[in-house]
Amino acid sequence: MKIICIGRNYAQHAAELGNEKPDTPVIFLKPDTAILQKRNPFYIPHFSDQVHHEVEVLVKINKIGKHIDAQFAPKYYQEIGLGIDFTARDLQQSLKEKGLPWEKAKAFDGSALIGNWYDKNKFEDINNLNFELLKNGVSVQQGNTAHMLWGIDALIAEVSKFFTLKIGDVIFTGTPAGVGKVSENDLLEGYLEEEKAFNIKVK
Ligand code: ZN
């Protein structure tokens, strides 16, 4: 499987990092080795002093497809979830300045936290879903999927122009504002509406 991530999909987050609102979605990949194994803590990698949390709504693909039209995109997923795109911001910044690819900062082992999955029909409207990240019990990121620059179906259409989507692939749909540093012993808890999607310790 592969993990497809969307960057700058919330205007306020693009602005907080000094990035312009993109004309088309920013897309990057993480390998399957990036998945943080269940019940493991997140270990801050030795090559970064500034790992940021990016809480994001996730979509799990359940049907193979390419060049998917947005109107048919709902046929390609049944479950949605919540996760964290851990980002070595200091390293990403230096790679960005040199015009180099982001993988070392974005796709390292453990950088993709995937929480619980929920049937999409559990929610009234997936295009109006509240989600939140708590750090040590304090709310640090709040988002609503209504504020995405490209909604889930538009993202599936865009991504599938470039990559064949396969069963089990996961799309990270981008983070809202409020990204920040994680430190040793932090406790990170994610909520998708009322559902507690994950609970993870930082080491
Ligand atoms: Zn992200």
Side-chain angles (χ1 to χ4, degrees), residues 6 12 37 57 125 155:
I6 308 302
Q12 282 182 15
Q37 295 304 318
V57 170
D125 180 4
L155 288 176

Side-chain angles (χ1 to χ4, degrees), residues 5-7 28 54 56 85 87 106 174-175:
C5 302
I6 308 302
F28 58 95
E54 295 192 353
E56 311 198 0
D85 165 21
T87 303
K106 282 281 198 184
T175 194

Side-chain angles (χ1 to χ4, degrees), residues 184-198:
E184 248 177 76
N185 298 318
D186 279 348
L187 174 67
L188 301 173
E189 298 163 283
Y191 286 87
L192 186 58
E193 290 290 350
E194 306 302 313
E195 303 296 329
K196 188 168 190 172
F198 61 78

